[in-house]
Amino acid sequence: MKVKVLKRNPEDFVRETKHDIHKVHRNYSQVEHPFEAEREYQRALNSVKLDSVFAKPFLGSLDGHRDGITCVSKHPGTISNIASAAADGEIRLWELSNRICSATWQGHDGVVRGLCYTPNGEKILSCADDKTIKTWDAEKVSPTPLETVVCKNMVTGISHARAGDQFATCGENAQLWAAGRSVPLRTFQWGVDSVHLVRYNPVETNLLAAAASDNSVMLYDTRDVGPVRKVVMTLRSNALAWNPMEAMVFTTASEDYNLYTFDVRRLDRPVNVHMDHVAAVVDVDYSPTGKEIVSGSYDKTIRIFPISEGRSREVYHTKRMQRLTNVLWSNDNRYIVSGSDEMNLRLWKARRSEKLGILKDRERVSLQYAEKLKQKYSQHPQVSRIVRHRQVPKHIKTAQAEHGKIRESKSRKDANRRKHSKPGTVPYVPEREKNVVDEI
């Protein structure tokens, strides 16, 4: 008797160098699979449910500071090293992989206002209320600084350029410095009383952004003495972050509970408004991919926003975590570090149900397949309801309801005024233009 068998040569569909790509044999005939859509929908539903079941975003806390944390900075070259500073002037270096403090020293006599690494990661720059800018050795840790610069006025922030030896500080004005000099190279002025924030652009390395006391965000070109652009908001901007993948895009964290994403080429209205916080937003940072932002607020929550959406996809909170002061996204796009005023640093997952550790090949393929199914059926009511649902503290829930009533009342009042006024006298103002006062 002659028996026919199926025979497949692995050399036809397996890569020669690495045997990690395998061809999947599938029959796409609808006759053989009459309920494919129903089966995929059920799998997508099960996947989003399992995401909620296995959602454990909190990884651990880093204890050691004796006062509220004011500054956090990540190492530019390694993933697991960060530096933090507190209100008592203490500076600490941390190893996130082991969750230990690798070094600590008393850096300043007052509150540390700014902290940043040099581009090679060998040195740390810090500034504080004692009107000094100090340079520290990040590798051979010593309690004595390598260099100390005494300033005439208070220094409230510091930012180092992506390349070179120049860095910028802010206080009474924004100033440009170079390593080894005791006086600034240049002082930028634009008729403001004080500047509380300064940030270098990581892509266009000559572009500098600063936030001032008149609720404005100013852009400077370090190659020129004069400023470039300026946008004035209704309320103060507490933090600013540049998109690492799009040189002209930045996001500000505002006192009006929102985040505003701007394009430098058109500052008269923001590209997007991110609304979900119920208190002032104090810090913001971009993911390395430039597709998401993380924000920390006085409402004691951390939120993650897709850059193209106005609502957050994730909210993190704990019972002990108080008002946030700093947030940052790790360079491998997998972790988030937060600092709060109850002297604690916390480590979180960037994706709440992500499995840590080494994945087997079949497990990785299965997770990728489930992710695609969730994207495919994300608009179905049952799937979207489960994806959106989050447990939040009672004070957040109460504040959300109260702010919803306030917004509804304002919109109803504007609609009534528009209805009973002459046409055109009460124009409709879009949400993206409500909080921009002027653009110069």
Side-chain angles (χ1 to χ4, degrees), residues 109-160:
D109 295 331
V111 179
V112 181
R113 298 294 182 181
L115 192 70
C116 66
Y117 276 93
T118 55
N120 55 15
E122 296 177 356
K123 298 177 182 178
I124 297 175
L125 298 176
S126 65
C127 62
D129 285 351
D130 56 6
K131 299 183 181 180
T132 60
I133 302 170
K134 294 184 179 181
T135 305
W136 309 89
D137 194 332
E139 296 180 347
K140 300 176 182 178
V141 180
S142 173
T144 58
L146 299 175
E147 185 181 354
T148 301
V149 177
V150 180
C151 303
K152 295 180 180 179
N153 303 305
M154 194 84 72
V155 183
T156 57
I158 191 168
S159 178
H160 204 288

Side-chain angles (χ1 to χ4, degrees), residues 191-290:
V192 295
D193 293 333
S194 64
V195 181
H196 59 268
L197 177 74
V198 64
R199 287 290 181 272
Y200 256 105
N201 191 320
V203 183
E204 292 290 336
T205 54
N206 294 308
L207 193 57
L208 194 68
S213 59
D214 62 346
N215 302 337
S216 66
V217 177
M218 301 172 290
L219 302 177
Y220 298 104
D221 191 334
T222 58
R223 296 167 295 186
D224 191 10
V225 177
V228 182
R229 303 285 296 279
K230 182 178 182 179
V231 57
V232 182
M233 309 289 289
T234 54
L235 290 177
R236 161 182 159 136
S237 297
N238 293 319
L240 185 145
W242 288 98
N243 192 323
M245 290 297 169
E246 298 183 40
M248 298 302 165
V249 176
F250 66 89
T251 299
T252 62
S254 179
E255 283 280 335
D256 62 1
Y257 313 166
N258 299 334
L259 296 105
Y260 299 92
T261 298
F262 285 93
D263 192 313
V264 172
R265 294 162 292 188
R266 186 182 177 185
L267 288 176
D268 57 344
R269 59 177 289 167
V271 177
N272 206 347
V273 181
H274 309 279
M275 308 168 60
D276 257 345
H277 283 293
V278 293
V281 189
V282 294
D283 202 10
V284 61
D285 193 24
Y286 268 90
S287 67
T289 60

